[in-house]
């Protein structure tokens, strides 16, 4: 017997986060702005990203080549992000929505509190490479968890922690919107506009994180506040029929 309160499963077998959030576009925007802000803060303070692992991979190559001495910080962030994303994904598979999102967001908020305490105790990474490695890893754990929860918040896979794929799919869908077959233009327009929205949110977050780093003691804690708001947006129960599915768009 099909449980009609649970949204359909994604192609990878995981339960789609679609419909887990009230105001899903707001939830996605908040997650992306948070990722952009914390990325900017971490890069300026630690020399590595906590969300954008594409950038960290480049730094991992540049460092041994003699151009980025902070490359161990990037390496720690990559490992921490990957482990966190894997563990939270496993947790989400073992729980039913929307409980899965609430638990994952609680974990993310708790990690951000720990990150804030460590950031203050270690003077924002000024005590040397080891302190920056620890701080970047703590931030990456939070971001790995968050991206696992929020990537499918609107029903269209929209990465919140790296934007290369978003840029690619936005371009593809924009061309389909204006030049493609008429039958698929509505879906292409939806995906292109969502991609532009995500890019704008990440850019806005980067600007906010850059400005806020002058009051750096509270920057990681702002991520905790964002998680609390996201918890308020999680539905207490899921409605709709099992036949309802999210729109087909970029990245699927």
């Amino acid at each position: 017997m099909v449980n009609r309160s649970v949204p359909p499963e994604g192609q990878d077998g995981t339960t789609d986060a679609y419909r887990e959030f009230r105001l899903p576009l707001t939830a996605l925007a908040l997650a992306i702005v948070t990722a952009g802000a914390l990325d900017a803060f971490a890069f300026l303070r630690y020399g590595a990203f906590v969300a954008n692992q594409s950038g960290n991979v480049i730094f991992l190559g540049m460092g041994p080549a003699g151009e980025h001495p902070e490359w161990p910080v990037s390496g720690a962030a990559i490992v921490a992000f990957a482990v966190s994303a894997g563990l939270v994904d496993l947790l989400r598979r073992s729980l039913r929505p929307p409980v899965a999102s609430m638990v994952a967001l609680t974990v993310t908020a708790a990690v951000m509190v720990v990150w804030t305490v460590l950031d203050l105790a270690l003077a924002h990474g000024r005590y040397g490479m080891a302190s920056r490695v620890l701080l970047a890893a703590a931030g990456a754990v939070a971001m790995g968890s968050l991206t696992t929860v929020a990537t499918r918040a609107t029903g269209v896979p929209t990465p919140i922690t790296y934007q290369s794929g978003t840029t690619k799919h936005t371009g593809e869908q924009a061309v389909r919107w204006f030049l493609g077959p008429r039958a698929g233009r509505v879906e292409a327009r939806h995906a292109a506009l969502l991609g532009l929205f995500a890019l704008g949110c990440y850019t806005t977050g980067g600007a906010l994180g850059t400005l806020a780093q002058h009051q750096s003691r509270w920057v990681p804690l702002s991520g905790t506040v964002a998680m609390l708001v996201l918890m308020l947006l999680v539905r207490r129960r899921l409605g709709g029929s099992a036949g309802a599915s999210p729109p087909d768009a970029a990245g699927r």
Side-chain angles (χ1 to χ4, degrees):
M1 181 176 181
V2 176
N3 187 334
R4 297 184 178 273
S5 65
V6 179
E9 291 189 332
Q11 291 181 354
D12 61 354
T14 59
T15 301
D16 201 331
Y18 184 53
R19 291 186 284 126
E20 286 189 35
F21 290 96
R22 292 179 289 113
L23 305 176
L25 201 60
T26 300
L28 181 66
L30 183 57
I32 295 176
V33 169
T34 299
L38 296 180
D39 242 357
F41 168 78
F43 177 72
L44 292 171
R45 292 288 172 170
Y46 314 148
F49 297 110
V50 291
N52 178 14
Q53 301 309 316
S54 298
N56 282 335
V57 171
I58 294 297
F59 291 153
L60 205 59
M62 291 172 60
E67 292 297 330
H68 191 71
E70 302 294 332
W71 66 269
V73 184
S74 295
I78 293 170
V79 173
F81 185 98
V83 172
S84 173
L87 291 175
V88 172
D89 177 68
L90 185 63
L91 177 67
R92 283 179 59 79
R93 290 171 183 267
S94 65
L95 297 173
R96 294 171 57 83
V99 175
S101 288
M102 285 296 293
V103 172
L105 288 171
T106 300
V107 170
T108 306
V111 172
M112 286 186 176
V113 170
V114 173
W115 180 21
T116 301
V117 172
L118 289 173
D119 187 66
L120 291 173
L122 298 176
H124 321 301
R126 295 175 187 164
Y127 290 157
M129 180 75 73
S131 66
R132 291 191 289 277
V133 165
L134 179 60
L135 290 170
V141 168
M143 290 297 98
S145 175
L146 178 59
T147 194
T148 304
V149 178
T151 294
R152 299 184 68 91
T154 63
V156 179
T158 309
I160 69 166
T161 54
Y162 66 93
Q163 302 305 323
S164 298
T166 301
T167 302
K168 170 182 176 292
H169 290 303
T170 300
E172 291 174 347
Q173 298 304 316
V175 171
R176 283 183 56 198
W177 176 11
F178 290 105
L179 301 178
R182 185 175 299 274
R185 288 186 180 180
V186 173
E187 292 179 352
R189 180 183 64 187
H190 173 83
L193 292 177
L194 183 61
L196 290 173
F197 177 75
L199 293 172
C201 288
Y202 196 79
T203 302
T204 299
L208 293 175
T210 301
L211 295 173
Q213 61 98 17
H214 298 297
Q215 302 292 330
S216 56
R217 69 176 59 188
W218 303 119
V219 174
L221 191 61
S222 66
T224 304
V225 175
M227 295 309 99
L228 296 177
V229 175
L230 283 174
M231 288 181 198
L232 295 177
L233 294 177
V234 174
R235 296 181 184 274
R236 293 184 178 275
R237 56 185 299 177
L238 297 180
S241 65
S245 60
D248 184 20
R252 184 175 286 278

